[in-house]
Amino acid sequence: MRLRCAVVDDYQGVATSVVDWSGLAGDLDVMSFGKHFADEDALVGALADFDIVVTLRERVAFPGSVLSRLPRLRLLVASGMRNSVIDYAAAEAHGVTVCGTASSPTPPVELTWALLLGLARGIVTENAALRSGGPWQSTLGADLHGQRLGLLGLGKIGGRVAQVGLAFGMRVSAWSRNLTQERADEVGVERAGSKEELLRTSDFVSLHLVLSERTRRMLGAAELTLLKPTAYLVNTSRAGLVDQEALLTTLREGRIAGAAIDVFDSEPLPAGHPMRSAPRLLATPHLGYVSRANYERFYGQAVEDIRAYLAGEPIRVLGPA
């Protein structure tokens, strides 16, 4: 019997066209799902007859309650080599092999700067006015040169964001609990003495941290009050790093100049969600890793993972950290 492979949350409908799946044509049938499943019942109902599932990043959760209801599932391929919404112990218990793929830090770095520049120069506001016959110039752009960029996190992505900031002539500082002076010196940035110092002194703050119990809601109401009224906040990392209600209150009360957000507590963002209409907010639908080159990497290596699994030699196997 031929195997069946499902690709879930293929929003752009490109999973089977950006790379060549023909090498697997003799072994399995591939079906792509373009709409997000609203709940576990809908997900299980759609995937019940599939042996292999390919999921993109952390769009779809696979807890034990889902895996236990998919007795036919044998291989789960997730893009990236880290995934916080897969229950690896449950996967092992139910005989499901989990594999990952490589992921490039370049797309989220580029999106971070697209959002930061969009905020600083009022790009969306000015473009909307120009296209609708509105006022000719209504915003006063914020300069980057000479201003301080504060980075919460200086890993692969944060380090590259820092380099761009330095190229703009910005003063760049960074902080995280594990940041060493050696790492700060390596990137060429200042090491802030504390999170609070970084928030108080930065003109632009950008988050680049892994979400964990230590970092969850690390920016709450108290921390957001430390930001300058002229400051901008950018989050292309994880929604859980920022208290969403506190951020909404901060924006509504005009206590910072603006924010740019690419990640949300609930995705896709429900219609009517306050994040869709908040003032001073530039929001994008989690585009951080969405680029042609990254999709080619994700799905190309997913094909490799499937081929290796079918050959009895799984590669890039994931498990508990």
Side-chain angles (χ1 to χ4, degrees):
M1 183 174 65
R2 289 174 60 81
L3 300 178
R4 302 189 72 208
C5 172
V7 180
V8 296
D9 277 19
D10 180 19
Y11 298 148
Q12 295 89 356
V14 298
T16 57
S17 60
V18 293
V19 299
D20 184 9
W21 291 71
S22 63
L24 297 172
D27 298 303
L28 76 163
D29 297 316
V30 181
M31 178 179 293
S32 172
F33 293 90
K35 292 186 177 180
H36 185 73
F37 297 109
D39 53 41
E40 288 189 4
D41 288 342
L43 178 65
V44 169
L47 301 184
D49 294 329
F50 287 90
D51 309 275
I52 300 169
V53 172
V54 176
T55 182
L56 193 60
R57 300 301 293 153
E58 296 170 344
R59 289 180 179 176
V60 180
F62 285 89
S65 56
V66 168
L67 293 168
S68 65
R69 298 168 65 190
L70 297 174
R72 185 166 165 174
L73 182 63
R74 286 295 171 262
L75 175 64
L76 177 59
V77 179
S79 58
M81 294 300 291
R82 181 190 295 119
N83 193 302
S84 64
V85 297
I86 295 175
D87 186 332
Y88 295 107
E92 182 178 9
H94 292 287
V96 178
T97 300
V98 183
C99 297
T101 75
S103 180
S104 170
T106 300
V109 170
E110 294 175 351
L111 182 70
T112 296
W113 279 101
L115 292 175
L116 193 152
L117 287 165
L119 276 178
R121 299 307 295 269
I123 299 298
V124 174
T125 299
E126 297 289 3
N127 176 259
L130 186 146
R131 294 174 65 89
S132 64
W136 183 263
Q137 297 184 5
S138 63
T139 62
L140 188 61
D143 296 282
L144 302 189
H145 186 87
Q147 298 301 293
R148 182 171 296 280
L149 170 64
L151 302 175
L152 291 169
L154 198 64
K156 288 182 180 180
I157 294 175
R160 295 191 185 194
V161 171
Q163 292 170 346
V164 178
L166 293 169
F168 272 115
M170 302 183 79
R171 297 172 295 151
V172 183
S173 58
W175 179 88
S176 73
R177 286 186 175 88
N178 299 321
L179 179 61
T180 63
Q181 188 62 53
E182 181 182 18
R183 172 59 178 166
D185 292 343
E186 176 189 348
V187 180
V189 305
E190 301 173 33
R191 179 170 169 261
S194 66
K195 175 178 64 176
E196 290 74 18
E197 176 191 318
L198 182 139
L199 295 173
R200 281 194 300 265
T201 59
S202 296
D203 301 291
F204 298 86
V205 174
S206 189
L207 285 80
H208 304 286
L209 291 165
V210 174
L211 181 63
S212 68
E213 288 311 307
R214 288 201 311 170
T215 61
R216 187 177 300 278
R217 296 194 174 187
M218 66 179 299
L219 293 190
E223 289 79 13
L224 291 172
T225 62
L226 299 176
L227 292 169
K228 300 177 182 180
T230 55
Y232 295 91
L233 176 68
V234 180
N235 186 9
T236 57
S237 187
R238 288 292 183 269
L241 297 172
V242 181
D243 183 322
Q244 302 292 285
E245 288 302 318
L247 176 58
L248 283 169
T249 298
T250 298
L251 293 170
R252 288 167 182 155
E253 295 180 356
R255 289 194 270 113
I256 61 175
I261 304 296
D262 186 51
V263 286
F264 307 91
D265 285 338
S266 178
E267 296 183 8
L269 202 61
H273 191 284
M275 279 287 184
R276 290 184 177 267
S277 56
R280 301 176 181 84
L281 178 65
L282 173 56
T284 48
H286 206 155
L287 300 177
Y289 53 84
V290 180
S291 75
R292 177 169 292 278
N294 228 19
Y295 271 32
E296 289 173 348
R297 182 177 294 106
F298 288 162
Y299 291 121
Q301 292 193 8
V303 170
E304 294 174 2
D305 288 348
I306 295 170
R307 185 180 296 115
Y309 174 83
L310 294 179
E313 299 178 354
I315 57 176
R316 294 186 283 264
V317 176
L318 303 182

